[in-house]
Amino acid sequence: MKKFTSVKDIDSLPDWVETAKKLKANPYAFKHLGENITLGLLFFNPSLRTRLSTQKAAINLGMNVMVMNLNSDGWSIELEDGTVMDQGTQEHIKEAAGVISQYCDIIGVRTFPRLKNRDEDYSEKILNKFIQNALVPVVSLESATLHPLQSLADVLTIEEQKKTPKPKVVLTWAPHPRALPQAVPNSFAEWMKVADVNLVIANPEGFDLAPEFTEGVTVLHKQDEALKDADFVYAKNWSSFEDYGKIGEGFNDWQITTDKMALTNQGKFMHCLPVRRNVIVADEVLDSDASLVLEQANNRTYAAQVVLYKMLQNG
Ligand code: SN0
């Protein structure tokens, strides 16, 4: 396995979920597997869960971990080939990725979109340049358009919590004061389409996700209609794909409240975190027994651990 960037990189989701459950039940069973193997985690953007859960997963497998904030602590990286580097950038991605590969056996990279140019973000330039120039496998720690470690943890959480064989899962847009990436919802849709669930997406008009992710999925522009009988409500804000990077204003009634949760089939509330309280979701919902957010965060460890375990097993 040379990379983990999308559900397309894995062979069998049921097998991965089973492996994650086994690792969760017995986290230190493969402590020998990572001996003398080094994971490097590179962050171009902030992180709390990804940084800690991926380190914890590596430690559970006996690996060594090095972490670096590339934006604040590294040289400014050039991505273009053939550039005369007499301007702001100081080190080319060819050397940077090659050098990091001398020290690390697996590299994780976090790189958010700029939300200015859609084609540039959706080309996954930074992540792909790392994959092309690294001499070792690369794990996405959230890229411009996908967040596979989060989605794998979400699949695991739903599998553990579901009360029916094929639950209704509603991914709903929710309000937010800043422009956020489409990575979490794109990725959630991508993984849910492979999982055994009935996925419905709810968002205001103008906020449909890219067609490649919504193909074959029911997309509703009325949240109340979508939430009816939902077993899981996954809230997330994203900026517009159509009017790229724009935020929605005047949609405060898309916040998840107890009244909204009452429309569901005693549904569970999910969010990837960090979450803006009383903007995305009301305190009463987030603080209720219906909230799975901490269990989702817990499962981030086992999502990361199954990825590292598979990479270590394949040598
Ligand atoms: C990121 C996102 O992709 O939406 C990371 C989620 C895992 N979230 C944020 O940037 C939230 C920042 C904010 O201002 O609330």
Side-chain angles (χ1 to χ4, degrees):
M1 195 177 192
K2 294 302 287 177
K3 64 182 172 83
F4 177 78
T5 63
S6 150
V7 74
K8 292 175 187 145
D9 292 323
I10 77 167
D11 48 9
S12 155
L13 184 54
D15 168 58
W16 277 56
V17 170
E18 274 320 298
T19 307
K21 284 183 183 167
K22 279 184 196 143
L23 291 168
K24 186 174 179 177
N26 203 350
Y28 315 113
F30 298 94
K31 193 96 194 166
H32 60 281
L33 204 61
E35 197 181 359
N36 297 331
I37 299 194
T38 301
L39 173 67
L41 300 179
L42 310 175
F43 291 91
F44 285 99
N45 310 95
S47 169
L48 186 151
R49 278 146 293 276
T50 302
R51 182 180 304 239
L52 296 181
S53 65
T54 310
Q55 286 190 63
K56 182 162 181 199
I59 293 165
N60 288 350
L61 290 166
M63 301 174 80
N64 302 312
V65 194
M66 301 196 294
V67 185
M68 186 163 175
N69 299 324
L70 283 184
N71 269 359
S72 52
D73 303 338
W75 300 109
S76 171
I77 292 181
E78 176 61 49
L79 296 173
E80 301 303 331
D81 288 338
T83 322
V84 177
M85 286 172 57
D86 60 357
Q87 299 294 316
T89 56
Q90 298 162 310
E91 176 151 35
H92 202 279
I93 183 75
K94 284 188 185 174
E95 283 74 52
V99 166
I100 296 162
S101 305
Q102 306 301 313
Y103 313 138
C104 301
D105 303 288
I106 300 174
I107 300 174
V109 184
R110 163 160 289 194
T111 154
F112 284 177
R114 287 171 58 237
L115 297 176
K116 300 276 183 254
N117 179 326
R118 188 165 92 179
D119 290 344
E120 185 182 294
D121 289 342
Y122 275 73
S123 76
E124 291 286 8
K125 194 169 182 176
I126 300 180
L127 181 66
N128 284 329
K129 290 278 177 185
F130 264 98
I131 292 169
Q132 281 158 23
N133 292 288
L135 308 169
V136 298
V138 172
V139 176
S140 163
L141 306 175
E142 186 173 352
S143 68
T145 70
L146 294 172
H147 193 357
L149 287 172
Q150 180 65 52
S151 306
L152 175 54
D154 295 336
V155 173
L156 176 60
T157 307
I158 289 171
E159 281 298 322
E160 288 175 335
Q161 301 283 339
K162 71 182 186 185
K163 294 194 180 74
T164 49
K166 198 177 168 94
K168 177 174 176 183
V169 176
V170 178
L171 166 63
T172 178
W173 187 95
H176 199 281
R178 284 182 59 228
L180 297 188
Q182 293 115 33
V184 170
N186 285 345
S187 191
F188 187 74
E190 187 192 60
W191 286 73
M192 284 299 133
K193 282 203 262 181
V194 179
D196 199 14
V197 306
N198 169 18
L199 175 66
V200 174
I201 302 178
N203 55 258
E205 285 192 45
F207 287 84
D208 287 4
L209 296 168
E212 62 180 295
F213 299 106
T214 54
E215 200 194 324
V217 179
T218 306
V219 178
L220 299 174
H221 295 141
K222 289 198 176 123
Q223 193 186 41
D224 283 6
E225 195 183 322
L227 291 176
K228 202 172 174 300
D229 298 327
D231 297 300
F232 295 91
V233 177
Y234 196 103
K236 181 73 184 85
N237 171 268
W238 59 88
S239 60
S240 177
F241 176 77
E242 257 169 73
D243 190 4
Y244 193 66
K246 294 293 179 304
I247 63 169
E249 281 173 47
F251 295 117
N252 289 346
D253 57 341
W254 281 72
Q255 181 184 135
I256 297 297
T257 59
T258 41
D259 286 352
K260 303 273 179 71
M261 292 304 287
L263 300 171
T264 69
N265 178 30
Q266 295 183 310
K268 297 290 189 187
F269 175 82
M270 299 178 74
H271 190 280
C272 61
L273 305 182
V275 72
R276 302 275 188 131
R277 280 179 172 259
N278 303 309
V279 179
I280 295 262
V281 55
D283 281 341
E284 298 74 40
V285 175
L286 197 55
D287 295 331
S288 75
D289 291 340
S291 175
L292 296 178
V293 296
L294 293 186
E295 196 48 31
Q296 286 173 267
N298 182 30
N299 281 336
R300 291 294 307 273
T301 299
Y302 308 103
Q305 202 166 331
V306 66
V307 173
L308 296 172
Y309 170 80
K310 294 277 181 187
M311 285 185 165
L312 291 172
Q313 265 203 332
N314 299 354

